Structures are given as C-alpha cells and as structure tokens.
Amino acid sequence: MFERENCTKARSEVTAFSVLKDDRVAFSTQVHGAKIFSSISCSSIKNLSIELLGYQTTAVAFSTEYDLLAFANSNTIYVINTNNKELLQTIHTNDGIIELISFVPNSMYLVAGTKQGRVLQYRYDGRSQLSRICSFGHGSKSTGRLKNNYVSAFASNDEYFAFSGFGGIITVLKMHSLANKHSIESSYVRINALCFLDGYRLVSGNVDGLIQIHSLINIDECKNIDTPFINIKQILVMPNPKYIMVCAESKNLIIIDTHTAKVVSRNYLSFESDVARIALTLDNHLLVVLENNLIEKIQLPSKELIKEHLVNNELHKAYEIIENDPMLEGTREYKRVEVLYDKLYTQAITSLINGNAKEARELLAMFNELESKKDDIKQMFKAFEYYPRFKTLYLEKKYALAYAMSDKHPVLQHTMQYQKMEEVYNENFSFAQKQILRGRLDVAKEILMPYTTVASKKDTIKIVLRYSSEYIALLKAITQKDFIEAEEIVKRNKQLSKLPMYDSFKNATDNALIQVQELIHEGEIDLAIKHIKQLMKNPTLKEKLQALYRECMIVRKLEQTYEKKEFRECYEIMDRSVFLGNLELSEQLEIHWAKLMNECEEHALKGDLKSIKKVLGDLILVKSRVNKIGDLIRVSFHTKIKFLMAKKSFGAAESIIYSYIDIFGTDREALVLMKTYEKASNKKLAITSTQIERVPRNHWLSSPMIVEQEKI
C-alpha cells in the first residue's frame, strides 16, 4: 500500500539528518562531508565538502529555518553558511568535548551537550556562551566526578527546552527565561529520544525500550508504554498528533497512540536494514535513513488521498487506505467515510427488508474484499435469513425471543419491528417505575417479567426490582440534581452504580468539569466561577472544584496585575503556575519577554551592560528569572574583558575583572578569564583570600553597580 522509493545513499555513516525549508533535505556523514538533496525528486542539490567536517567531528546539526550548519570538533563549534560554505562563527568552550548540538527552532539559539554532562546555550551570531543551562551528574556526593557522564537528548517547542543526561534524568525549563526549571526522574536509564507532543506533554524513550509520556503541569503524572524493542533512537509526532512514530534498534517502525498509551502497530513499516533516523517532509512523506546508509522515501497514506477517492466515488479505495494506516482513524475524513458507508449499509438493509437481496448486494459489492467490512456484510445477509421468523415473533408479541434473536444478529436492530419493540419496552419500563412509586412492586414485576431474560435489559431490571426503594430514591436525586443524596445512595448500594442513568449522570458531571477548565484557559473567569458554584452541590467534586477555583483566582490576579502595569509581578505569577501558559495574555507577555531577551543578548555580546539595564528596567529584578538575567550580565562582562585584552588594554581589563569578582565572585568563568589575562599580560592579579571564595550565583542582586538597592 505504501509507495516507496530509494531516494539516495550516503557514502559513509549518516551523522545528522534534517528536513530544511522548501523541499530540501540535508545530511552529514562521518567522512564524506554533507549533502543537500530535493525531497521531491531525490536529486542532489549541493555537495558540501568542508575541510573541518569529518572523522574528527563529534556533533553535527542543521538549521531547519536558515542555511546554516553547525558542527563541533571536540570543544570547538563551527557555524557554516551552507550556500557558500563560508565560516560564520567559531565558538570555543571550556566545558569538555561536545557530543550533541542543535539549533533551536524559532530562535537564534544553539545548544550543545558535553561529555562532562553540561548543557550550554549560545547564539549562532556570537562567540560567547550565554548560559550553562544545566549540568547532569554534578553536585551528588555519592557520584563524585563521573568518568562516564553524558548529555543524550534535546527537545524544544515554542516555550520550553528539555534535555536528558546522566541517569535518565530529564531537565525542563522555559527557553527564553530559564524559569520553571525542574527535573523528571522516572527512567533511571539512558534516554536517547525526547519529543514534545504539545505545549505541556513530553515524550521520552530509553535504551530499555520504554516510552514515557510526561505531563509538565503535573510532574508526577506519567504514562508508561513498553515497546517490543530496545534502544529507542527517535520519536516523531505524526500529522495526526494523536500518534507518534518510534525508531529503535530494529528493522521495523512502530506506531503508538498517545491517548490510549498503547502500541497500535508493531511493524507499521519494515526495512532490509535497521532504521537509524526518520523525518517527515513538508508534504508528509516519510524519509528513513537505514544503518546501511540507504535513504528511503515513503508516501504515507494521507487525508488528501482519501478526499480524492471520495470525490471519485471510490469509497472502497478510501477504506483500503484507512485499513493500512491506523493513524487515519478518528480524522474528519475517516468520519466522512464512515458516514457514507453507514448510509449505503442502511440502504442495503432497507433493500433486504423489502426483499430485494440483489439490490443490497450491488450496493455493498465494492466492500466485499475489505478486511474491515466483509464479515459485517456477510453477517448482515446471514441475519436476514431469520428476518421472517423475527417478524413472526414480533407479531406474536414474543418479545423475549425476538430480543434474543436481535442480540445474536444485531443487524435486525435496524428494522422497524425492533424499533417498535424498544418503544413498547420504554413505555412498559416507565409504567413499572410509576407502579414502584405507588408501592405496587408486584405489578411492576409482572410488567417487566417478559424482559428478564433479555441480555441487554436483565441487569437493569434485576437492580430496579431488587432495590426498588433505593432505585426510586436515586432517580429522584438525579432528577433534582441532588449530588449529595445521589452519591450517598450509591455509596450505600454499589449495585446502583451499574445503572445506565447513573453513568449518564457521572458523564455529565465530568463534561461540566472539562467545560470549566476550558473557560479558565479562555480567560472567561466569571463564567467559570458561575459553573463552579453550580457544581459545588456535588461533594465528590470538592477537591477538584477547589483546585479549579484557585486557578480562577490566579488568572484573575494576573489580569489585575497586568491592568496595573505591574509587569515584574506578572512574570513571577506566570512562572509559579505552568497552566497559565495557555492564556492569550501569557502568550503575549512571553512574546514581549523573548523580544527583550533578544535585544539584551545582542547588547551582552557587545559588552554593553548599560543598555541591558536600560532595556530591562524594573524587569531586571523578576525573581523567577534572575538566572537568565544574571547570565546576560556575566556575558556582558566577559565580552568587555575579552575585547579589552584583544586591544591590549590590560589596565582597563584588570579593573573590570576586579569589578566582576566583587559582583559575581570567582566563578568558573572568572577563573578562566583570570588565567587568560595573566598569560596575555604577563601580570599576576592581586586576588585576596576573601575574593577567591565562591558566592551564591545570584549574589549580583546585592551589587549597587547592577541594581539600585531601593528597588529590591
């Protein structure tokens, strides 16, 4: 069913593979440089033979938005323009060999993971490190200095970074502010694949073959999915975002339904060699890199193809596509196909009711060979062999036997006779209820007795007759929406929880909670509170409603704070409550913050502290974002010192080094600068024992040079 094409073959091991803008795809190899080819024609567009890119390269990444290639040779990063192979930037790090590197979409960021377990943040237009985002395997007394430390996976979306490192720990934090930083420790073994499902769900895959879906709102919430493979290499969100594709140490690709947390296809696609990497093109073709260096292009079944078959009245061909791809189930096109099939199916039943079997067969002939439909069609014709007998039972009012026949042959439930039986049953059941209310239980039993052997009715009838008084009490409570009484009745008699009316009652309550949550996310707080008050009658919802009410108050506080133009507090409120990220107001504030950070980063890379302070104003003291702000201030000092040393203005450089130490203490960066200065100037710095001591990372907040103390 899948259209497959051998697109191209790499000459050596593929070390990076990315779909670029337009229709281009880029990959790098271990010893044969890089190549860009067309995803449409598979024809070569450009070969990139770069002197520094080769066997000594430890990490490679392509930008999916710009014509940029970044690669690391040990502890040096090179940024190349792929159009002309011009070297745009050379970045040196003192934090170890770089083993992982990635451009961050929708930003100018470049992140790198080192063999020492550190994650470093750069801009590809600057040489200075912006932040050391996190460090894995450090700070633990039990581990000491690790010899086998690592950073193994990156992921990002519009708001968050996610990284995994030593011990299967995942660190998540906001991209532009480094706020909301937290760790997830649920795997304990190496994780080589991370992927954001959406703004608040992250998927990880470890070397034992375990897939986990993590909630960023509730850190303790996690779904585990065991796969039949080991060493999960990559996770890809599919065009239908309900599903993910998983690449592991196998010749097969598997599909997982993230809603049910189940593997829906263990061998969605199979190949001649193990799969190394996967990617989706802009037109939803799947590109697969195999361990034998072959790159295959596969046309996945698509919604557009289903639409085309529907236009051509080829419903059976549309179903063939759906049968081969479980990911199309649930889509709008799938539902449309089901509606059209049901219409034909109903017409065929009408033909059989009218005794026209030939017409019925003609209507459904196109579906006879479809695996998902041929048994249904066969059963339909089989059922109507009993239709004459079914009509007789109906006319003789032998409803129990007629119901038994319709249970065995469900197609008969589409007939007029079955619908009439249901009307009679509903009238009898309603009449029996009235008799129970009047205390005439014997009359109710007599009325319902013919239905006590009907599979779909007997359980309800048994409960109603055996627990008649409790049933009536529950019916009254549900009718009056008396949640307290209804729950008390069911608590006393758990059998009543099996009644369909109780299920409907519970479902209505659950839907009401979902509606409140949606109102909160839309910022409709007054309406949300109104709904919460209406639901407060239900004691079982007390904790959930209290939590939703607290969310309402937090949203209201954010809105009020914004109206007062107290933006510093706005960001602190947002960083305390992850769920606020859904709000339009939060999105606007984060966009504004990202613009400020971009401007401040440019100033920092020029060594311009004064402009950073001017741009930030009062926001320099946002408590939840001081790590990001402190890093920018450090970078501005580093840049200024390096600039002065390059000009051989050692006196001025020395003065700023002393100022830096007074503000930040002798952190790792200071020690590197001191060593560089002493070597370049051939002069020993006069550092006192007090100055050599480490100080808290945010000690800069107490420096009058940085912050006006009356603002704190």
Side-chain angles (χ1 to χ4, degrees):
M1 187 63 201
F2 297 100
E3 292 185 20
R4 302 170 68 151
E5 176 184 357
N6 289 341
C7 206
T8 188
K9 186 167 185 176
R11 296 170 62 192
S12 56
E13 181 184 346
V14 175
T15 54
F17 187 80
S18 295
V19 174
L20 311 180
K21 59 185 178 181
D22 305 324
D23 67 335
R24 298 175 302 145
V25 181
F27 66 89
S28 61
T29 63
Q30 192 170 47
V31 294
H32 292 95
K35 182 176 181 177
I36 299 175
F37 67 91
S38 167
S39 66
I40 296 175
S41 64
C42 290
S43 58
S44 177
I45 296 174
K46 185 177 294 183
N47 288 311
L48 297 170
S49 179
I50 300 167
E51 182 181 357
L52 294 168
L53 178 65
Y55 68 90
Q56 75 275 32
T57 300
T58 53
V60 186
F62 292 93
S63 168
T64 58
E65 299 169 293
Y66 307 104
D67 296 319
L68 298 174
L69 162 66
F71 60 93
N73 291 346
S74 187
N75 60 354
T76 302
I77 299 171
Y78 303 96
V79 180
I80 304 288
N81 182 327
T82 55
N83 280 329
N84 54 22
K85 298 193 291 185
E86 179 186 357
L87 178 61
L88 301 177
Q89 201 63 261
T90 302
I91 305 169
H92 298 283
T93 176
N94 297 299
D95 284 291
I97 297 172
I98 296 168
E99 296 185 313
L100 204 60
I101 193 167
S102 177
F103 287 94
V104 179
N106 304 315
S107 77
M108 298 185 73
Y109 294 139
L110 191 63
V111 289
T114 74
K115 199 171 183 179
Q116 291 184 0
R118 303 189 190 280
V119 179
L120 313 173
Q121 181 187 24
Y122 301 90
R123 283 170 63 110
Y124 56 74
D125 62 345
R127 295 185 178 184
S128 295
Q129 175 184 306
L130 290 179
S131 297
R132 185 192 302 158
I133 296 177
C134 62
S135 298
F136 294 101
H138 293 267
S140 173
K141 293 180 180 179
S142 60
T143 58
R145 187 176 180 86
L146 296 171
K147 294 182 180 179
N148 58 341
N149 207 348
Y150 58 84
V151 179
S152 54
F154 291 161
S156 65
N157 60 16
D158 289 340
E159 190 173 1
Y160 286 95
F161 278 138
F163 311 95
S164 183
F166 184 81
I169 295 174
I170 301 170
T171 295
V172 183
L173 71 168
K174 284 188 175 180
M175 182 187 303
H176 296 286
S177 63
L178 306 188
N180 288 129
K181 184 176 181 178
H182 57 271
S183 294
I184 302 171
E185 301 182 36
S186 56
S187 175
Y188 305 108
V189 297
R190 184 179 178 116
I191 291 172
N192 286 334
L194 288 174
C195 177
F196 279 98
L197 278 180
D198 48 40
Y200 299 101
R201 288 184 301 160
L202 177 71
V203 187
S204 66
N206 70 25
V207 294
D208 287 344
L210 177 67
I211 293 286
Q212 294 183 301
I213 303 174
H214 310 275
S215 168
L216 302 188
I217 295 178
N218 181 2
I219 301 302
D220 296 327
E221 184 181 316
C222 179
K223 295 179 180 179
N224 294 335
I225 307 164
D226 288 312
T227 69
F229 306 128
I230 60 170
N231 190 19
I232 305 295
K233 301 176 184 176
Q234 194 178 348
I235 301 165
L236 197 63
V237 179
M238 301 308 289
N240 182 348
K242 177 183 175 183
Y243 298 95
I244 55 174
M245 178 179 286
V246 178
C247 163
E249 196 171 300
S250 169
K251 295 179 181 179
N252 299 329
L253 291 173
I254 66 174
I255 299 295
I256 290 175
D257 184 333
T258 60
H259 289 190
T260 62
K262 292 182 179 178
V263 176
V264 295
S265 179
R266 291 173 176 262
N267 55 348
Y268 180 74
L269 283 164
S270 297
F271 302 89
E272 63 184 44
S273 177
D274 279 3
V275 178
R277 301 167 190 270
I278 52 177
L280 278 174
T281 65
L282 299 179
D283 59 353
N284 290 329
H285 280 76
L286 180 69
L287 295 174
V288 181
V289 182
L290 302 179
E291 290 290 356
N292 64 7
N293 303 325
L294 181 66
I295 299 174
E296 279 197 36
K297 175 184 171 183
I298 299 153
Q299 182 179 353
L300 298 178
S302 66
K303 296 184 291 185
E304 287 68 28
L305 196 54
I306 293 176
K307 289 178 185 177
E308 185 180 321
H309 288 313
L310 291 178
V311 169
N312 295 330
N313 200 29
E314 298 170 329
L315 195 58
H316 61 297
K317 290 185 178 180
Y319 261 117
E320 284 176 1
I321 295 171
I322 292 168
E323 281 186 349
N324 282 278
D325 196 334
M327 292 185 287
L328 292 170
E329 292 185 12
T331 61
R332 183 181 301 175
E333 290 72 22
Y334 169 80
K335 292 174 183 177
R336 176 62 179 159
V337 171
E338 285 286 270
V339 167
L340 292 173
Y341 173 77
D342 288 343
K343 186 177 180 180
L344 287 175
Y345 192 82
T346 302
Q347 289 175 6
I349 289 174
T350 302
S351 297
L352 288 171
I353 290 171
N354 295 330
N356 194 341
K358 181 180 178 181
E359 183 179 75
R361 292 187 187 281
E362 288 175 353
L363 284 167
L364 299 177
M366 70 178 79
F367 305 107
N368 285 335
E369 300 306 316
L370 286 175
E371 288 296 326
S372 60
K373 300 300 178 187
K374 63 182 182 182
D375 286 342
D376 286 345
I377 295 169
K378 183 178 178 181
Q379 290 298 324
M380 182 181 72
F381 285 100
K382 180 70 175 176
F384 269 88
E385 292 177 8
Y386 298 91
Y387 184 51
R389 175 60 178 161
F390 182 74
K391 287 192 293 185
T392 301
L393 292 173
Y394 167 75
L395 292 171
E396 294 175 355
K397 296 186 178 181
K398 294 180 179 179
Y399 297 142
L401 292 174
Y403 269 116
M405 185 176 289
S406 66
D407 287 341
K408 187 175 181 180
H409 303 288
V411 177
L412 296 175
Q413 295 174 11
H414 292 270
T415 63
M416 174 273 293
Q417 289 79 14
Y418 183 85
Q419 300 303 321
K420 289 290 184 182
M421 285 198 309
E422 282 290 272
E423 289 177 14
V424 172
Y425 169 75
N426 289 331
E427 289 172 2
N428 286 336
F429 190 82
S430 179
F431 185 69
Q433 281 182 326
K434 292 176 182 178
Q435 300 309 308
I436 293 171
L437 284 169
R438 294 171 182 172
R440 299 175 180 175
L441 186 61
D442 55 335
V443 176
K445 286 182 178 179
E446 184 178 349
I447 293 168
L448 296 176
M449 187 58 65
Y451 302 98
T452 54
T453 58
V454 177
S456 59
K457 317 290 186 188
K458 63 181 181 180
D459 288 342
T460 298
I461 292 171
K462 184 178 179 180
I463 292 171
V464 169
L465 296 178
R466 180 175 292 183
Y467 309 107
S468 56
S469 58
E470 292 96 330
Y471 170 76
I472 294 301
L474 179 62
L475 180 62
K476 287 181 179 178
I478 290 176
T479 303
Q480 297 169 3
K481 294 186 177 180
D482 189 338
F483 299 99
I484 297 175
E485 182 62 18
E487 293 300 331
E488 284 297 322
I489 293 168
V490 172
K491 188 176 180 181
R492 290 194 299 269
N493 190 334
K494 296 190 183 299
Q495 290 295 320
L496 297 174
S497 65
K498 299 176 182 178
L499 290 170
M501 71 174 183
Y502 183 72
D503 283 340
S504 299
F505 171 70
K506 292 290 286 183
N507 289 337
T509 302
D510 293 340
N511 290 335
L513 288 173
I514 293 171
Q515 186 179 5
V516 171
Q517 190 75 66
E518 290 174 349
L519 288 170
I520 293 172
H521 290 166
E522 292 167 4
E524 299 287 345
I525 302 306
D526 290 338
L527 191 55
I529 291 174
K530 182 180 178 181
H531 282 251
I532 289 171
K533 288 179 177 178
Q534 291 172 347
L535 293 168
M536 283 299 288
K537 296 177 182 178
N538 188 341
T540 63
L541 300 178
K542 183 178 179 180
E543 290 185 8
K544 292 180 180 178
L545 292 172
Q546 286 177 340
L548 289 171
Y549 185 77
R550 285 193 294 270
E551 288 188 10
C552 286
M553 292 300 99
I554 292 170
V555 174
R556 179 164 286 173
K557 184 177 181 181
L558 176 63
E559 291 174 341
Q560 291 171 347
T561 305
Y562 180 77
E563 288 171 3
K564 295 176 184 177
K565 300 187 184 301
E566 296 174 354
F567 303 120
R568 172 176 156 188
E569 188 178 351
C570 282
Y571 287 111
E572 291 171 356
I573 292 170
M574 287 162 53
D575 292 337
R576 286 195 296 269
S577 303
V578 176
F579 78 91
L580 290 174
N582 283 319
L583 289 177
E584 184 179 349
L585 175 57
S586 295
E587 291 175 357
Q588 291 174 354
L589 285 166
E590 289 292 7
I591 289 170
H592 177 67
W593 180 270
K595 289 179 179 177
L596 292 180
M597 289 303 99
N598 184 63
E599 192 174 345
C600 288
E601 286 164 2
E602 289 178 353
H603 291 313
L605 293 173
K606 295 174 184 176
D608 188 354
L609 174 60
K610 184 178 180 180
S611 293
I612 293 174
K613 293 171 64 177
K614 183 179 179 180
V615 169
L616 288 175
D618 188 50
L619 294 179
I620 199 170
L621 290 173
V622 177
K623 294 177 183 177
S624 53
R625 305 192 172 198
V626 292
N627 289 338
K628 174 64 177 179
I629 297 165
D631 284 344
L632 288 175
I633 296 170
R634 284 183 180 83
V635 172
S636 70
F637 272 88
H638 301 163
T639 306
K640 190 71 173 178
I641 293 167
K642 291 174 184 175
F643 173 75
L644 291 171
M645 287 194 292
K647 288 179 61 179
K648 299 191 182 300
S649 299
F650 296 116
E654 179 180 4
S655 177
I656 296 178
I657 289 173
Y658 287 138
S659 296
Y660 182 91
I661 293 171
D662 288 339
I663 297 168
F664 298 105
T666 51
D667 56 18
R668 181 184 179 87
E669 294 88 345
L671 293 173
V672 172
L673 286 170
M674 289 162 59
K675 185 177 180 180
T676 304
Y677 171 84
E678 291 175 347
K679 184 177 180 180
S681 67
N682 199 26
K683 180 181 178 181
K684 187 73 173 176
L685 289 165
I687 305 297
T688 65
S689 58
T690 303
Q691 289 175 313
I692 205 71
E693 293 178 359
R694 289 293 183 99
V695 297
R697 191 74 176 165
N698 294 326
H699 181 66
W700 61 270
L701 288 167
S702 61
S703 170
M705 180 179 174
I706 306 297
V707 181
E708 294 178 27
Q709 296 305 296
E710 61 271 15
K711 288 185 178 182
I712 299 179

